[in-house]
Amino acid sequence: MTYLIVILALLLLGGLIWHYRRRSRPISPPAATDYRPLLQEHVAYYRALSDDDKKKFEERVNQFLSQTHIEGVGTTVDELDKVLVASSAVITIFGFKDWSFYRLTTVLLYEDRFNAAFETDGKERTILGMVGEGGALQSTMALSKSALHEGFADEASTENTGIHEFVHLLDKADGATDGTPRFFLDRNHVKPWLQLIHATLADIQANRSDIDPYALTNEAEFFAVVSEYFFKRPDLLKENHPELFARLEEIFQQKLGD
């Protein structure tokens, strides 16, 4: 009788151990989507990468899309829309190994321009992109889908709305959207950066620059505008604005234009 009890106890213990191990087995993450064809066709930045860096870029695109929901407002969202939003994000942080926009939970895509009340009809529909500053929109970005696509389709331009808005998020990381990303600048370079901003703004004001005049709005918009230029046409920025190019290489920790 004693032997029977021992055998039953061992069987029960074995069953519990098997059940625990089965439950404790790590759950495999969902398989990554293969976005390579879309990236290769539509994202010039990706095409310029080495094979190893292309793989890293693909992984980070999948990471972004696993943590950020992309939703259409009065429009549909397809795989290319998702890839272009994610690429806009990854391009800006590709030089930062462990950085992600984990606080950004939602990107809203509007068919075209919208106004400050996020209306797509009526007057003053001049906004192509906006990052939430507080309240319900704190973790939300809004983008014009047409502007998003145009930024990647026109490879000769210096403009990209998606990149512009994600640069605002990076700028905001130190608590202030002020055009001086202190998390990414050596503190000894903050003053030279501000001096460079004001000198370049003076050139734009005097029509001595090819930088989009929207940069004159304020220092935050200046930083976002020249960052678009840096990522879209690094060759041209390096030729026309070498000091600005060098400082942006430092900020984003990326070597472009070679």
Side-chain angles (χ1 to χ4, degrees), residues 44-62:
Y45 179 99
Y46 171 85
R47 288 198 299 271
L49 296 174
S50 66
D51 288 344
D52 286 345
D53 280 344
K54 282 182 178 179
K55 185 176 181 180
K56 293 174 185 174
F57 193 95
E58 295 155 18
E59 290 170 351
R60 295 185 75 171
V61 163
N62 270 286

Side-chain angles (χ1 to χ4, degrees), residues 32-36 38-40 43 45-46 49 53-70 79-94 99-100 152:
T33 303
D34 185 2
Y35 291 119
R36 286 176 295 177
L38 290 175
L39 289 167
Q40 186 68 26
V43 183
Y45 179 99
Y46 171 85
L49 296 174
D53 280 344
K54 282 182 178 179
K55 185 176 181 180
K56 293 174 185 174
F57 193 95
E58 295 155 18
E59 290 170 351
R60 295 185 75 171
V61 163
N62 270 286
Q63 177 192 25
F64 177 88
L65 292 174
S66 72
Q67 64 191 24
T68 304
H69 176 63
I70 301 174
E79 293 298 277
L80 179 56
D81 298 327
K82 295 177 183 178
V83 164
L84 296 185
V85 172
S87 294
S88 301
V90 174
I91 285 170
T92 65
I93 59 174
F94 199 60
W99 192 278
S100 72
F152 285 92

Side-chain angles (χ1 to χ4, degrees), residues 154-213:
D154 188 354
E155 296 179 5
S157 80
T158 62
E159 300 174 11
N160 184 296
T161 295
I163 289 174
H164 184 107
E165 295 306 320
F166 279 101
V167 168
H168 278 321
L169 280 186
L170 284 177
D171 187 9
K172 186 182 177 183
D174 60 11
T177 311
D178 57 4
T180 304
R182 288 173 173 80
F183 272 178
F184 312 105
L185 261 177
D186 184 294
R187 64 180 182 178
N188 294 322
H189 293 171
V190 170
K191 185 176 180 180
W193 170 247
L194 290 171
Q195 292 171 337
L196 181 58
I197 288 178
H198 296 143
T200 308
L201 288 173
D203 286 340
I204 299 171
Q205 184 71 53
N207 294 318
R208 296 193 301 264
S209 177
D210 64 336
I211 295 173
D212 188 337

Side-chain angles (χ1 to χ4, degrees), residues 25 200 229:
R25 187 178 302 159
T200 308
Y229 195 156

